[in-house]
Amino acid sequence: MKKAIIGKKVGMTQIFDEAGKVIPVTVIEAGPCVVTAKMTEEKEGYSAVQLGYEEVAEKKLSKPEQGHLKKAGTGMLKHLKEFRLEETDKFEVGDVIKADIFASGDKVDATAISKGKGFQGTIKRLGQHRGPMAHGSKFHRHQGSNGACSSPSRVFKGKGMPGHMGCKKVTVQNLTVVRVDADKNLILVKGAVPGPRKALVTIKETTRANA
């Protein structure tokens, strides 16, 4: 992985290519991000850079976070993430990374927390079938049998059950960057990206470009 950036999901829209074909895109406000720390093989045992995103009031950060950012001299930043990039030598603490680190045609992976859908049944959560909907049937949308009685006298691990749906870390791989607006810090990615509007999104060079 050679490049990465942190941003926020603005929403979805559509644009037209040169042939007049409609392209559905997700608009991401990417960066500017500041390099707040560098990890080296000699000190930490691995090579990485830490990026900070979104300025925030000092009082909203913990004392250790304040001290870390004051030492770096980068100002107070809300979100900090590490990226194990291949060429960490070309980055220095204080460097600013903007949306133009990516270009049209790049393949990327987008990671975010998916929309939370609350407590859901197995039909919506897992796509299971419902029962007959006639009045005589007393089995419509509920779970039904979860396993045998005397043997094995338990429910197997991994059994699909009702429960909390969504609100999980999701990565969509091999998306295409359609357009980059460096002046407005916007990256337009073809297709859908996880999360609601204003969700924090991490964009990285894809690991599946040849898949």
Side-chain angles (χ1 to χ4, degrees):
M1 182 173 62
K2 295 181 180 179
K3 45 192 176 181
I5 199 169
I6 308 169
K8 279 189 175 180
K9 181 175 176 179
V10 177
M12 288 199 73
T13 185
Q14 60 186 27
I15 61 175
F16 296 89
D17 63 10
E18 295 175 354
K21 185 178 179 182
V22 174
I23 303 175
V25 294
T26 301
V27 182
I28 300 169
E29 184 184 340
C33 295
V34 184
V35 178
T36 55
K38 282 182 66 176
M39 290 70 187
T40 61
E41 291 283 354
E42 295 76 22
K43 189 174 180 182
E44 285 83 12
Y46 64 98
S47 297
V49 293
Q50 184 187 72
L51 300 185
Y53 172 68
E54 192 177 358
E55 292 183 358
V56 68
E58 183 176 331
K59 65 181 180 180
K60 293 188 177 182
L61 299 178
S62 66
K63 293 288 185 180
E65 289 172 331
Q66 292 176 23
H68 172 64
L69 293 169
K70 284 177 181 177
K71 182 179 178 182
T74 57
M76 299 296 109
L77 299 167
K78 186 175 182 180
H79 306 287
L80 300 176
K81 285 183 179 290
E82 283 187 21
F83 298 94
R84 298 198 181 192
L85 304 179
E86 293 175 9
E87 302 172 355
T88 57
D89 295 337
K90 67 179 184 180
F91 296 101
E92 296 297 335
V93 174
D95 287 353
V96 178
I97 297 175
K98 297 184 178 180
D100 57 7
I101 192 174
F102 290 98
S104 179
D106 285 352
K107 297 288 187 176
V108 297
D109 295 341
T111 303
I113 302 298
S114 63
K115 289 183 180 180
K117 297 175 175 63
F119 191 98
Q120 298 297 334
T122 56
I123 293 177
K124 179 169 181 175
R125 189 182 186 212
L126 302 170
Q128 294 185 1
H129 292 284
R130 62 169 174 79
M133 298 305 286
H135 293 291
S137 170
K138 296 184 179 179
F139 168 66
H140 299 306
R141 292 181 65 92
H142 65 81
Q143 176 96 36
S145 174
N146 290 322
C149 179
S150 59
S151 176
S153 299
R154 65 188 177 88
V155 178
F156 287 115
K157 271 187 178 181
K159 171 67 180 175
M161 303 282 270
H164 186 229
M165 183 179 177
C167 207
K168 291 183 178 180
K169 186 177 180 180
V170 177
T171 299
V172 178
Q173 294 185 304
N174 212 18
L175 297 172
T176 303
V177 175
V178 178
R179 188 178 299 170
V180 176
D181 189 334
D183 296 332
K184 296 181 180 179
N185 295 314
L186 297 178
I187 295 178
L188 276 62
V189 178
K190 184 178 180 180
V193 168
R197 292 186 182 92
K198 298 184 180 180
L200 191 71
V201 180
T202 301
I203 304 174
K204 299 180 288 187
E205 185 180 35
T206 188
T207 58
R208 296 192 59 189
N210 298 321

